[in-house]
């Protein structure tokens, strides 16, 4: 009985401790982390990066943490043939339902490219996002509150 009490007491502390803390991205043996601001130098190459997915006056976008390189904003393109974990899709839906209060920090692998075709333009980004990131895998994500 005392052990159960200890576990129940510790569990809320872990949950509270995680919220608002920026963890380092997971280390992958096969892919080196690329800073989001450096992605234009790796266009059309498989890249592993950390980005913030949120809504602003210009619409939905992936962008760097803490406002670094503000001119680099990308549409997050989720292909139908890639498996995305249900908990990620649930968090994504929650962010879309609460754009003023929720956002995601995502550690993702995919391809960063120019978005000149206009596939995503005009729907939600008001043409502000000149790039897109085609997600091939979500390594980790963190649901955050503003």
């Amino acid at each position: 009985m005392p052990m159960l009490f200890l576990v129940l007491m510790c569990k809320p502390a872990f949950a509270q401790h995680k919220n608002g803390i920026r963890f380092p991205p997971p280390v992958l043996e096969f892919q080196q982390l690329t800073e989001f601001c450096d992605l234009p130098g790796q266009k059309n190459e498989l890249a592993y990066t950390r980005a913030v997915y949120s809504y602003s006056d210009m619409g939905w976008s992936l962008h760097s943490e803490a406002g670094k390189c503000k001119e680099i904003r990308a549409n997050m393109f989720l292909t139908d043939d890639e498996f995305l974990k249900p908990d990620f899709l649930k968090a994504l839906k929650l962010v879309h339902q609460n754009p003023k209060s929720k956002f995601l920090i995502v550690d993702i692998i995919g391809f960063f490219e120019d978005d000149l075709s206009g596939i995503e333009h005009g729907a939600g980004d008001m043409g502000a996002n000149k790039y897109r990131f085609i997600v091939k895998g979500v390594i980790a994500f963190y649901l955050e509150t503003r």
Side-chain angles (χ1 to χ4, degrees):
M1 183 71 149
M3 182 67 133
L4 180 62
F5 177 73
L6 180 62
V7 170
L8 291 175
M9 290 299 293
C10 292
K11 188 175 180 181
F14 290 135
Q16 291 169 359
H17 185 67
K18 184 176 177 181
N19 193 15
I21 294 177
R22 302 293 187 258
F23 295 97
V27 175
L28 301 180
E29 292 179 24
F30 61 91
Q31 190 74 36
Q32 184 176 352
L33 182 75
T34 301
E35 291 294 324
F36 189 83
C37 297
D38 296 336
L39 285 174
Q42 286 189 276
K43 285 183 191 171
N44 306 317
E45 296 176 21
L46 192 63
Y48 167 43
T49 193
R50 170 172 278 184
V52 174
Y53 180 72
S54 66
Y55 184 80
S56 71
D57 293 339
M58 294 183 280
W60 292 98
S61 69
L62 286 171
H63 52 89
S64 65
E65 290 186 272
K68 303 174 194 170
C69 61
K70 293 180 182 181
E71 71 282 358
I72 301 173
R73 303 180 77 77
N75 292 301
M76 182 167 62
F77 188 74
L78 304 172
T79 60
D80 292 334
D81 59 339
E82 294 299 325
F83 173 77
L84 297 170
K85 294 179 182 176
D87 55 340
F88 174 71
L89 294 174
K90 183 178 176 183
L92 191 61
K93 182 177 179 181
L94 187 61
V95 168
H96 276 260
Q97 291 172 339
N98 301 283
K100 293 182 180 179
S101 62
K102 303 281 185 195
F103 65 97
L104 286 174
I105 297 173
V106 291
D107 298 330
I108 49 180
I109 292 179
F111 294 93
F112 184 83
E113 57 186 41
D114 291 321
D115 185 15
L116 302 176
S117 64
I119 293 172
E120 286 83 29
H121 285 317
D125 67 13
M126 299 182 193
N129 302 341
K130 303 302 180 205
Y131 305 102
R132 67 179 177 170
F133 193 94
I134 301 172
V135 176
K136 298 310 263 178
V138 177
I139 304 303
F141 67 92
Y142 311 97
L143 179 62
E144 297 288 337
T145 303
R146 294 180 207 261

